Amino acid sequence: MDILEYAFMQRALIAAVLVGMVCSVIGTYVVLKKLAFIGAGISHSAFGGVALGYLLGVSPLGIALPFSLATAMVIGWVSRKGRISEDTAIGIFFAGTMALGVLFIGLRTGYNVDLFGYLFGSILSVSSSDIWIILGLGLGVIGVVLLLFKEFFFVSFDEEMAAVSGLPVERLYFLLLGLMALTVIVSIKIVGIILVEALLVIPAAAAFQLTRNFVRMMLLSVSFGVVSGVAGLFISYYVDLASGATIVLTAAVIFLLCFALSPKRRWRRIQARG
Amino acid sequence: MISRSAISLEDIWVYYGETPALKAIDLDIEDGEFLGLIGPNGGGKTTLIKVILGLLKPDRGRVTVFGSPPDRLGRARGLIGYVPQRNQSDWNFPVSVLDVVLMGRYGRIGLFRRPSAADQAVALKSLEAVQMQEYARRHLAQLSGGQQQRVMIARALAGEPRLLLLDEPAAGVDISAEEQFYELLRELKEQHGLTIVVVTHDIAVVSSHVEKLACLNQTLYIHASPEEVLTAGTLQKVYGCEVELLAHGRIPHRVVEEHE
C-alpha cells in the first residue's frame, strides 16, 4: 500500500497498534472490575496536566503524566478511605481537574493553542519521539500486567477473598489505577482525552460478549483494539474523517456485532432450562 | 488433654460510626470445634467473622487466631479458609471452576509466580473432596447454587487451612442439599482436623449438626452445646420477641417457643 510510504502514516500505524493493545489489556480489568467511571475521571484529569504544560511552556504530556498519576491516586485514596462514595469522589475530581485546565489556558493570555488535538486525538501528528514514549510506557504497562497476572485476576474477581488469601489488595488496586493513568497518557495523541475512555471499555466489553475464559477475553480484547486502531486509521485516511473518532466508532461497530452474535444469551437460556 | 484455642476474642468492640455492632465480645473457640454462630440479621455475625479474618480492625479488644493476630501476615500463613456469603461473587466473571479453586492457592504461591503442577493437583484434590471434580472445566454460571457453594468450599480447602469460616453457606440452597452440605462439612472436619465456624440464621438445621452454638446479637449471649442453648430460653433474649424455629426432623414442623 502506497500510503505506508509516508513516514507520518507509518508512525500513525505503529501508534494505533500499540495503543490498541495497551488499552485493551487494561480495559479487560476496567470492564470486569467496573472501573469505567474511574477511567473517565483519570483521563479527564489529564486535561489539567496538558493545560499546565502549555502554561509553563514545557511538554504537555510530560506534565500530564504526573498529573494523571496523582489524580488517580487521590481518587483511589478518597474513594477507599474517605467518607464519600467513589462516584462522588470521581465526579469532584473529574470536573475539578477539567476546570483547572480551563483556568490554566485562560492564564496564558494572547496565545491560541491547539488543544483540540489533545482532546480528540491527532494521530497523524505522532512524532518519532512520541512513538518511543508510547512504546516504552506501553510495554511497561503490559509487562507489569504479565508479572502480576494472577494477582490482578484474583483481585478483579473477588477482592475480599484476595485479601483473605494474603494478597496486598490495596497496593494492587493503586497499581492498577496507576497503570490506567499511564494507559491514558499513552493514548492521548491517538484518540484524545475525551475519547480514550472508549478504548478502555469497548474492546474488552466486546470480548466479554464472546467468551467465558479470562485469557481468551484479554486476547480477543487486544485483537479488537488493534483492529479498531488500524481499520479506523485507514478509514479515516481514505474517507478523510477525524482519526480518533473513526477508531472509536470502528470499535463501537465491533461491539455491536459481538453483542448481536453473543452466545451468552443462549447459554443463559440453557441454564434456565437445565 | 489440654485443648488449645483456635480463635480467642477478648473484649471486642466494633462501631459503625456511632452505632455499636459488637459489644464486649469474649469468645474462645477450641481447636477442632464445630461451631454454629447464630443470631438475628444485623446482629453482627458477619462483622465478627471479618474481625476474625482481620479484614476489620476492632475499635477495642484483642483477637488471636492460632496464637497470632489475624493481620495480613497471619492470613498469609494460610491458616484460615473463608467461604463468603453467596451473593458476593460475580458469577458472570470469566473464570472456570478450577481457576476459582486455584485462587485459594495464590496466597501460598506468592507474588509474581505461576501456579505449579503441584498447586493444580491440590486444587483438583479439593474439588474431589467436595465431589465436584468432574466440573473442573465448567464455568461458574453453569453450576447450581449448591454446586457453586461447594466450589467456594473447595477454594477455601485448597489453601490447606486449619480453620474454616463459612458465612451463610446454605442460603438459597434447598433443604436436602443443606443436609448433604452439613454432612460434607462434618466429613471434612474429621478428615482434615479442621476447626469450623458456620454463620447462619437457620437455628434448627445447624443445631442438629454442630457441636457448639454461639448466639450473637451485638453481645454474645451464650456459647454452649445446642441442647443447652435450645433449652436455656436464651433464644428469646437474643432474638427479642417471638422465636420461630423450623425444628429438624423427617417431617419439618414449626416450633414456637412460648413467652409472655
Side-chain angles (χ1 to χ4, degrees):
Chain A
M1 277 185 278
D2 31 325
I3 62 162
L4 286 181
E5 284 164 18
Y6 300 117
F8 73 87
M9 206 54 193
Q10 292 168 0
R11 287 197 296 269
L13 191 64
I14 295 169
V17 169
L18 286 172
V19 166
M21 274 173 68
V22 180
C23 281
S24 313
V25 167
I26 292 299
T28 306
Y29 299 108
V30 171
V31 166
L32 290 176
K33 217 168 150 33
K34 301 180 177 64
L35 297 173
F37 194 40
I38 291 198
I42 293 174
S43 58
H44 284 76
S45 76
F47 181 69
V50 165
L52 183 62
Y54 264 115
L55 179 65
L56 300 175
V58 291
S59 154
L61 282 186
I63 298 293
L65 175 65
F67 202 87
S68 289
L69 270 176
T71 312
M73 296 305 124
V74 173
I75 290 177
W77 186 77
V78 170
S79 63
R80 270 182 110 86
K81 312 264 178 185
R83 286 180 198 149
I84 50 177
S85 71
E86 187 170 88
D87 56 343
T88 306
I90 297 161
I92 292 166
F93 286 101
F94 190 126
T97 47
M98 285 291 273
L100 215 53
V102 174
L103 209 87
F104 290 148
I105 292 166
L107 285 176
R108 175 122 195 186
T109 44
Y111 196 80
N112 196 7
V113 293
D114 179 27
L115 281 164
F116 197 80
Y118 284 98
L119 287 174
F120 301 102
S122 55
I123 193 169
L124 298 181
S125 73
V126 172
S127 67
S128 52
S129 68
D130 288 335
I131 292 287
W132 288 113
I133 292 171
I134 294 172
L135 191 69
L137 289 179
L139 290 182
V141 168
I142 292 174
V144 171
V145 166
L146 289 179
L147 212 53
L148 291 167
F149 196 78
K150 77 176 196 308
E151 283 75 17
F152 282 131
F153 182 41
F154 199 173
V155 168
S156 307
F157 175 55
D158 190 337
E159 196 169 299
E160 186 177 56
M161 279 307 303
V164 170
S165 300
L167 297 192
V169 290
E170 193 110 301
R171 267 176 274 170
L172 288 167
Y173 174 76
F174 283 106
L175 182 59
L176 189 56
L177 293 189
L179 294 178
M180 283 168 70
L182 292 180
T183 304
V184 164
I185 296 301
V186 161
S187 316
I188 283 180
K189 274 267 173 163
I190 315 306
V191 287
I193 288 165
I194 307 286
L195 294 178
V196 58
E197 173 75 355
L199 281 195
L200 280 178
V201 173
I202 299 175
F208 187 55
Q209 297 300 316
L210 299 186
T211 181
R212 281 174 158 169
N213 177 296
F214 183 80
V215 176
R216 231 171 284 154
M217 176 178 166
M218 194 175 266
L219 292 176
L220 267 176
S221 176
V222 166
S223 49
F224 290 155
V226 171
V227 167
S228 307
V230 174
L233 178 64
F234 282 122
I235 294 169
S236 73
Y237 181 81
Y238 284 115
V239 192
D240 194 20
L241 297 169
S243 54
T246 313
I247 290 171
V248 169
L249 288 174
T250 309
V253 169
I254 291 177
F255 172 79
L256 287 177
L257 284 174
C258 291
F259 184 74
L261 301 173
S262 170
K264 288 213 166 172
R265 269 158 294 170
R266 187 157 42 82
W267 289 337
R268 228 162 270 148
R269 240 176 292 141
I270 292 166
Q271 196 201 343
R273 219 183 289 138
Chain B
M1 200 183 103
I2 306 156
S3 59
R4 294 207 309 115
S5 270
I7 303 169
S8 161
L9 304 173
E10 285 168 48
D11 195 31
I12 298 295
W13 293 72
V14 173
Y15 285 87
Y16 288 129
E18 304 276 295
T19 336
L22 294 175
K23 298 188 222 169
I25 306 287
D26 282 304
L27 178 64
D28 263 298
I29 299 170
E30 282 172 26
D31 202 359
E33 188 169 320
F34 190 175
L35 176 77
L37 183 61
I38 60 173
N41 286 329
K45 302 187 295 287
T46 299
T47 303
L48 189 66
I49 291 295
K50 290 193 171 166
V51 167
I52 295 170
L53 285 167
L55 291 175
L56 192 70
K57 217 173 136 46
D59 293 296
R60 209 172 98 188
R62 217 167 73 96
V63 192
T64 48
V65 178
F66 296 111
S68 44
D71 56 3
R72 205 171 73 71
L73 223 68
R75 273 179 268 138
R77 288 189 301 152
L79 294 175
I80 309 178
Y82 172 48
V83 180
Q85 285 189 25
R86 239 181 67 75
N87 51 6
Q88 290 194 339
S89 289
D90 175 5
W91 303 108
N92 286 316
F93 196 90
V95 59
S96 73
V97 167
L98 185 62
D99 284 337
V100 172
V101 179
L102 261 175
M103 285 177 182
R105 304 281 310 158
Y106 283 9
R108 286 184 178 271
I109 296 168
L111 291 177
F112 310 121
R113 308 230 303 272
R114 293 282 146 99
S116 67
D119 293 311
Q120 293 259 352
V122 174
L124 283 170
K125 236 182 101 200
S126 307
L127 274 174
E128 213 176 297
V130 296
Q131 289 126 40
M132 288 291 293
Q133 64 273 34
E134 69 258 46
Y135 296 92
R137 298 285 159 202
R138 294 279 194 96
H139 182 267
L140 272 185
Q142 294 170 295
L143 306 181
S144 72
Q147 289 172 328
Q148 287 173 344
Q149 210 52 22
R150 280 166 186 264
V151 172
M152 294 302 141
I153 293 171
R155 174 172 67 180
L157 290 176
E160 298 172 295
R162 280 172 64 194
L163 167 66
L164 200 54
L165 301 171
L166 303 102
D167 196 352
E168 300 281 3
V173 172
D174 63 60
I175 290 282
S176 71
E178 195 176 350
E179 282 294 325
Q180 284 177 23
F181 179 75
Y182 280 107
E183 213 41 61
L184 171 70
L185 283 187
R186 203 206 303 263
E187 280 169 32
L188 292 175
K189 176 182 140 55
E190 273 152 29
Q191 282 166 18
H192 302 268
L194 291 171
T195 307
I196 300 183
V197 178
V198 181
V199 170
T200 178
H201 50 243
D202 190 346
I203 305 162
V205 178
V206 74
S207 58
S208 58
H209 289 94
V210 297
E211 295 154 1
K212 288 274 185 74
L213 277 180
C215 302
L216 184 73
N217 189 5
Q218 295 188 345
T219 63
L220 187 72
Y221 282 84
I222 190 170
H223 175 213
S225 71
E227 294 74 31
E228 281 173 78
V229 172
L230 293 177
T231 54
T234 32
L235 289 180
Q236 273 126 312
K237 270 187 257 163
V238 178
Y239 284 84
C241 191
E242 189 171 298
V243 181
E244 288 184 15
L245 46 131
L246 194 66
H248 172 67
R250 220 165 249 293
I251 305 158
H253 57 283
R254 187 193 260 179
V255 178
V256 180
E257 283 197 16
E258 282 182 30
H259 72 117
E260 67 272 37

